[in-house]
Amino acid sequence: MSEGLRERKKQRTRRHLSQVAMALFVERSFDAVTVAEVAAAAEVAVNTVYNYFPAKEDLVLPPEQASPGRLAAIVAARPAGVSAARAVLDHLREEVRRRDRNLGLSEGFAPVYLMMRAAPTLTARLEELGRQMSEELAARLADEHPGDRPAARVIAWQLGAVHALVYTEIGARVAAGQPPGQIADAVLGLLDAAESALGRPLLGYAVRKDEPPCSV
């Protein structure tokens, strides 16, 4: 079997496991479903599920999608002349405008959101993920400005708060039954308000002077 074919097979298996698990979690709740039941429904061994998803929570929040390095990566990729805050705000706006499913801006997300909010271990992971995102962004900014570490941390946590607010707003509107288009318009307005509230010092902090290296 070629490497490409093997990788495609792994991705199909991963998607299948995730889809089966999410359907069970939405139907019966996250806490009521065991990994063994996910394996049985997907017609695979329990060890196969753990090979792809080491923790049960990973079936809902896979590390490659719910990454602690998300904000730091957005800032690291910003072009010359763009500040850290501008990079984060522009990236969020782009995701909202294209109705990115990872933001929950897709039809049928409401049952998934409600399932997640009802599971203490998932809400705890989301809270910890937000903290990690802010800390990793703070480390990134501090590396760029080693003589200004307190400011880097304050800026990072403010941007982390804006990022968290976007997800909170989307979740509340999803739970209220609003359609994705209406939610997107509201969140874009929220980002405009956030930009006005942040002010010039934060919006002008950490403007990149050079182009980021090309990714391979």
Side-chain angles (χ1 to χ4, degrees), residues 118-183:
T121 56
L122 291 177
T123 56
R125 175 176 278 207
L126 286 169
E127 289 173 3
E128 175 61 13
L129 180 62
R131 186 194 68 79
Q132 292 174 344
M133 283 186 187
S134 295
E135 289 291 2
E136 291 205 16
L137 177 55
R140 168 78 201 187
L141 294 176
D143 286 342
E144 292 186 8
H145 302 273
D148 201 15
R149 290 183 180 274
R153 198 156 192 269
V154 170
I155 298 294
W157 275 85
Q158 287 182 301
L159 294 178
V162 171
H163 182 265
L165 178 60
V166 165
Y167 278 84
T168 299
E169 185 74 9
I170 290 172
R173 291 176 178 277
V174 164
Q178 294 183 12
Q182 182 179 345
I183 297 173

Side-chain angles (χ1 to χ4, degrees), residues 66-83:
S67 170
R70 169 173 159 81
L71 293 178
I74 292 170
V75 169
R78 71 194 189 284
V82 174
S83 70

Side-chain angles (χ1 to χ4, degrees), residues 92-105:
L92 287 171
R93 285 190 177 102
E94 179 188 347
E95 289 182 332
V96 171
R97 289 188 180 111
R98 69 169 183 258
R99 311 291 196 270
D100 195 303
R101 64 183 302 274
N102 290 326
L103 290 181
L105 291 174

Side-chain angles (χ1 to χ4, degrees), residues 55-73:
K56 181 182 172 184
E57 290 77 15
D58 294 337
L59 286 158
V60 180
L61 298 167
E64 70 275 9
Q65 294 179 18
S67 170
R70 169 173 159 81
L71 293 178

Side-chain angles (χ1 to χ4, degrees), residues 2 4 13 16 21 44 46 52 56 58 65 92 109 111 116 119 131 146 151 156 164 167 179-180 184 204 212:
S2 69
T13 300
H16 175 61
V44 300
V46 172
Y52 285 90
K56 181 182 172 184
D58 294 337
Q65 294 179 18
L92 287 171
F109 181 71
M116 292 172 64
R131 186 194 68 79
Y167 278 84

